[in-house]
Amino acid sequence: MIRYSLACERGHAFDSWFANSSAYDKQAKRGLVACPVCGATKVEKAIMAPRLARGDSDKAIDVPAPAPAPAAPAAPQATEPVAMLSPQERELRTKLKELRDHLVKNSENVGRKFPEQARQMHYGEIEHRSIYGEASPQEAKELHEEGIEFHPLPVLPDERN
Ligand SMILES: [Zn+2]
Protein backbone atom coordinates (compact mmCIF):
# COMPACT_ATOMS: atom_id res chain seq x y z
CA MET A 1 0.00 0.00 0.00
CA ILE A 2 1.08 3.51 -0.70
CA ARG A 3 -0.43 6.71 0.53
CA TYR A 4 -0.70 9.75 -1.65
CA SER A 5 -1.48 13.23 -0.59
CA LEU A 6 -3.87 14.52 -3.20
CA ALA A 7 -5.48 17.81 -4.03
CA CYS A 8 -8.56 18.39 -6.13
CA GLU A 9 -8.95 21.13 -8.71
CA ARG A 10 -10.54 23.30 -6.07
CA GLY A 11 -7.60 22.95 -3.78
CA HIS A 12 -8.98 20.52 -1.20
CA ALA A 13 -6.20 18.38 0.14
CA PHE A 14 -6.80 14.80 1.17
CA ASP A 15 -4.96 11.52 1.55
CA SER A 16 -5.78 8.29 -0.17
CA TRP A 17 -4.33 4.81 -0.13
CA PHE A 18 -3.51 2.82 -3.25
CA ALA A 19 -2.11 -0.64 -3.86
CA ASN A 20 0.80 0.89 -5.74
CA SER A 21 1.59 3.89 -7.88
CA SER A 22 0.17 2.41 -11.11
CA ALA A 23 -3.09 1.63 -9.31
CA TYR A 24 -3.34 5.33 -8.48
CA ASP A 25 -2.64 6.29 -12.11
CA LYS A 26 -5.34 3.95 -13.42
CA GLN A 27 -7.97 4.97 -10.88
CA ALA A 28 -7.27 8.65 -11.31
CA LYS A 29 -7.49 8.37 -15.09
CA ARG A 30 -10.85 6.65 -14.86
CA GLY A 31 -12.20 9.29 -12.49
CA LEU A 32 -12.37 6.88 -9.61
CA VAL A 33 -10.42 9.10 -7.27
CA ALA A 34 -12.83 11.69 -5.99
CA CYS A 35 -12.31 14.56 -3.59
CA PRO A 36 -14.05 13.70 -0.30
CA VAL A 37 -14.99 17.34 0.15
CA CYS A 38 -16.52 18.32 -3.17
CA GLY A 39 -16.54 15.10 -5.14
CA ALA A 40 -14.34 16.46 -7.94
CA THR A 41 -12.55 13.70 -9.80
CA LYS A 42 -9.89 16.00 -11.18
CA VAL A 43 -7.24 15.33 -8.61
CA GLU A 44 -3.52 15.69 -8.59
CA LYS A 45 -0.80 14.22 -6.48
CA ALA A 46 0.43 16.69 -3.98
CA ILE A 47 3.50 15.68 -2.01
CA MET A 48 3.81 11.95 -1.70
CA ALA A 49 3.88 11.04 1.93
CA PRO A 50 6.70 8.55 2.39
CA ARG A 51 4.67 6.32 4.62
CA LEU A 52 4.80 2.82 3.26
CA ALA A 53 2.52 0.41 5.03
CA ARG A 54 3.85 -3.11 4.90
CA GLY A 55 1.59 -4.72 7.45
CA ASP A 56 3.81 -3.26 10.12
CA SER A 57 2.36 0.14 10.83
CA ASP A 58 4.60 0.54 13.87
CA LYS A 59 7.51 1.06 11.54
CA ALA A 60 5.76 3.69 9.48
CA ILE A 61 7.75 6.85 9.10
CA ASP A 62 6.02 10.12 9.71
CA VAL A 63 7.38 13.19 8.07
CA PRO A 64 7.17 16.09 10.47
CA ALA A 65 4.73 18.75 9.40
CA PRO A 66 6.38 21.92 8.18
CA ALA A 67 7.00 24.35 10.99
CA PRO A 68 4.20 26.88 11.33
CA ALA A 69 5.06 30.42 10.37
CA PRO A 70 6.21 32.43 13.36
CA ALA A 71 3.38 34.22 15.04
CA ALA A 72 3.18 37.92 14.46
CA PRO A 73 4.62 39.85 17.39
CA ALA A 74 1.98 40.91 19.84
CA ALA A 75 0.99 44.52 19.76
CA PRO A 76 2.96 46.50 22.33
CA GLN A 77 1.04 47.22 25.46
CA ALA A 78 1.66 49.65 28.23
CA THR A 79 3.60 47.87 30.90
CA GLU A 80 5.24 48.55 34.21
CA PRO A 81 8.63 47.20 35.12
CA VAL A 82 8.29 44.25 37.41
CA ALA A 83 10.69 41.50 38.33
CA MET A 84 10.66 37.99 39.65
CA LEU A 85 14.09 36.68 40.45
CA SER A 86 15.00 33.54 38.58
CA PRO A 87 17.70 31.26 40.01
CA GLN A 88 20.25 32.92 37.71
CA GLU A 89 19.24 36.34 38.95
CA ARG A 90 19.49 35.24 42.52
CA GLU A 91 23.00 34.08 41.74
CA LEU A 92 23.76 37.41 40.13
CA ARG A 93 22.40 39.18 43.16
CA THR A 94 24.70 37.09 45.35
CA LYS A 95 27.63 38.09 43.15
CA LEU A 96 26.61 41.73 43.35
CA LYS A 97 26.52 41.43 47.10
CA GLU A 98 29.97 39.83 47.05
CA LEU A 99 31.27 42.62 44.84
CA ARG A 100 29.83 45.22 47.12
CA ASP A 101 31.10 43.51 50.25
CA HIS A 102 34.52 43.32 48.60
CA LEU A 103 34.45 47.00 47.70
CA VAL A 104 33.32 48.01 51.14
CA LYS A 105 35.88 45.79 52.83
CA ASN A 106 38.80 46.86 50.67
CA SER A 107 38.20 50.53 50.40
CA GLU A 108 37.82 53.36 52.81
CA ASN A 109 34.48 54.92 53.53
CA VAL A 110 35.03 58.64 53.18
CA GLY A 111 31.33 59.43 53.36
CA ARG A 112 30.42 62.92 52.25
CA LYS A 113 34.07 63.69 51.54
CA PHE A 114 33.93 61.42 48.50
CA PRO A 115 33.74 64.16 45.83
CA GLU A 116 36.59 66.10 47.43
CA GLN A 117 38.78 63.03 47.94
CA ALA A 118 38.08 61.69 44.47
CA ARG A 119 39.00 65.06 42.99
CA GLN A 120 42.22 65.30 45.01
CA MET A 121 43.21 61.82 43.84
CA HIS A 122 42.39 62.67 40.27
CA TYR A 123 44.60 65.74 40.36
CA GLY A 124 47.39 63.91 42.14
CA GLU A 125 47.07 65.87 45.37
CA ILE A 126 46.72 62.72 47.43
CA GLU A 127 47.74 59.14 46.81
CA HIS A 128 45.43 56.85 44.91
CA ARG A 129 43.49 54.41 47.00
CA SER A 130 40.11 52.74 46.94
CA ILE A 131 37.45 54.83 48.53
CA TYR A 132 33.73 54.91 48.61
CA GLY A 133 31.29 57.37 49.97
CA GLU A 134 28.46 59.61 49.00
CA ALA A 135 27.96 62.16 46.29
CA SER A 136 24.90 64.17 45.38
CA PRO A 137 23.67 63.90 41.80
CA GLN A 138 25.09 67.38 41.17
CA GLU A 139 28.48 66.41 42.61
CA ALA A 140 28.48 63.19 40.62
CA LYS A 141 27.76 65.17 37.47
CA GLU A 142 30.62 67.56 38.18
CA LEU A 143 33.03 64.72 38.84
CA HIS A 144 32.05 63.11 35.57
CA GLU A 145 32.52 66.38 33.74
CA GLU A 146 36.01 66.64 35.16
CA GLY A 147 36.72 63.17 33.79
CA ILE A 148 36.93 61.54 37.19
CA GLU A 149 35.96 57.93 36.89
CA PHE A 150 33.87 56.37 39.62
CA HIS A 151 31.04 53.92 39.83
CA PRO A 152 27.89 53.68 41.84
CA LEU A 153 28.02 51.05 44.50
CA PRO A 154 25.67 48.25 43.55
CA VAL A 155 22.44 48.57 45.44
CA LEU A 156 20.68 45.33 46.11
CA PRO A 157 16.95 45.15 45.45
CA ASP A 158 15.94 44.51 49.04
CA GLU A 159 18.41 46.91 50.60
CA ARG A 160 16.96 50.18 49.47
CA ASN A 161 16.11 52.78 52.14
ZN1 LIG B 1 -12.48 19.18 -3.65
Side-chain angles (χ1 to χ4, degrees):
M1 294 289 282
I2 188 165
R3 189 179 70 161
Y4 283 125
S5 290
L6 305 170
C8 81
E9 57 186 341
R10 289 178 201 172
H12 303 126
F14 60 99
D15 287 350
S16 205
W17 287 94
F18 300 92
N20 50 52
S21 61
S22 64
Y24 162 79
D25 289 338
K26 278 183 212 156
Q27 290 180 42
K29 227 177 244 178
R30 289 159 64 190
L32 298 173
V33 183
C35 168
V37 180
C38 65
T41 53
K42 259 197 175 176
V43 299
E44 278 185 351
K45 262 186 275 189
I47 310 146
M48 193 181 81
R51 174 187 278 184
L52 302 177
R54 285 182 181 146
D56 189 354
S57 59
D58 285 344
K59 284 185 182 163
I61 301 157
D62 268 313
V63 174
Q77 290 176 338
T79 55
E80 284 187 25
V82 288
M84 269 182 65
L85 295 186
S86 71
Q88 290 89 338
E89 288 155 349
R90 277 194 210 105
E91 197 184 321
L92 183 64
R93 185 189 174 285
T94 305
K95 291 212 174 95
L96 264 183
K97 189 167 173 4
E98 280 170 13
L99 170 66
R100 205 184 68 157
D101 289 349
H102 176 86
L103 286 172
V104 168
K105 205 167 134 191
N106 293 281
S107 55
E108 187 191 337
N109 184 1
V110 294
R112 290 292 297 131
K113 285 190 188 151
F114 180 85
E116 180 195 326
Q117 295 261 312
R119 193 170 277 119
Q120 286 175 336
M121 265 187 242
H122 182 72
Y123 293 110
E125 290 164 19
I126 57 172
E127 210 176 316
H128 262 276
R129 69 191 199 281
S130 293
I131 59 167
Y132 70 100
E134 295 160 37
S136 70
Q138 179 58 33
E139 287 164 340
K141 187 168 170 277
E142 285 168 5
L143 289 172
H144 270 303
E145 281 167 1
E146 288 174 53
I148 298 167
E149 198 187 327
F150 62 96
H151 304 277
L153 267 187
V155 175
L156 302 174
D158 58 0
E159 288 184 359
R160 293 186 197 276
N161 304 322

